[in-house]
Amino acid sequence: MNHALTAAAAGFGTGLSLIVAIGAQNAFVLRQGVRRDAVLAVVGICALSDAVLIALGVGGVGAVVVAWPGALRAVGIVGGAFLLCYGALAARRVLRPGTGLRAEGEAAGSRRRAVLTCLAMTWLNPHVYLDTVFLLGSLAADRGPLRWTFGLGAALASLCWFTALGFGARLLGRHLARPGAWRVLDGLVALTMLALGATLIAGS
């Protein structure tokens, strides 16, 4: 029992350390949380996607896929282009006069856009495969028969993080009600997306 708890705790800490760094996915979840726009759907997609990727890594798919480096290269180019486009849209919002944060209920159209964007942000990011599938998969393999317990801990870390980020962001709503503060957030998102997109394309 103690060994299982230790493996789960190690998986939780490792998973948390990999996803806490601010990146494209985290910036998107934060923005959706501040806007209160399709938060449950976005958090669910991120957490469920991580759980699937972790399961693939623990199951050994990473070792098979890594034999075809062209796959990651293709995903890097497509994902980089997507991030550049999203970053350009965020930069456009910075330059366009706004009215501040509107914490309104989500519309069907915005929910659909949020879901599609979140799916692309998650599955077109090569770093997700490198970290979640290959790295976590290799670390889990070292746990032997407890590798699935390690993976469960990592999946739980993802669920806790995205839940806290998405729903905790609402606490920032009052501070981001001013147009200037909202433009600063969009500026940070734009810089993050553009830098990551350029890095992915250059690396591919």
Side-chain angles (χ1 to χ4, degrees):
M1 184 65 176
N2 289 335
H3 293 297
L5 290 176
T6 300
F12 187 93
T14 304
L16 199 62
S17 66
L18 290 175
I19 64 175
V20 163
I22 294 299
Q25 190 182 46
N26 284 339
F28 177 74
V29 175
L30 177 63
R31 190 174 192 278
Q32 293 300 118
V34 171
R35 296 181 60 196
R36 303 183 185 182
D37 183 9
V39 181
L40 181 60
V42 167
V43 169
I45 289 172
C46 292
L48 182 59
S49 296
D50 270 8
V52 171
L53 290 167
I54 290 170
L56 291 175
V58 174
V61 175
V64 177
V65 179
V66 76
W68 187 36
L72 281 180
R73 188 176 302 112
V75 171
I77 294 175
V78 176
F82 172 81
L83 292 179
L84 288 177
C85 292
Y86 192 90
L89 291 175
R92 182 185 178 188
R93 289 194 298 267
V94 174
L95 299 176
R96 176 186 297 175
T99 57
L101 176 66
R102 294 180 297 172
E104 301 170 348
E106 57 205 47
S110 70
R111 186 186 299 112
R112 189 178 301 110
R113 286 193 299 270
V115 167
L116 293 176
T117 301
C118 186
L119 286 171
M121 198 84 67
T122 301
W123 292 93
L124 291 180
N125 184 359
H127 291 299
V128 171
Y129 298 95
L130 291 173
D131 293 343
T132 310
V133 178
F134 303 140
L135 180 56
L136 275 176
S138 62
L139 292 175
D142 292 337
R143 297 283 169 172
L146 293 176
R147 63 185 184 279
W148 288 106
T149 305
F150 180 92
L152 181 62
L156 181 60
S158 175
L159 175 61
C160 292
W161 169 253
F162 286 119
T163 299
L165 186 63
F167 292 99
R170 297 186 178 187
L171 301 176
L172 300 175
R174 180 169 57 87
H175 303 287
L176 291 174
R178 294 173 289 109
W182 188 238
R183 292 172 71 183
V184 169
L185 176 61
D186 270 330
L188 293 175
V189 171
L191 290 175
T192 301
M193 303 297 181
L194 293 174
L196 287 176
T199 300
L200 287 180
I201 292 178
S204 299

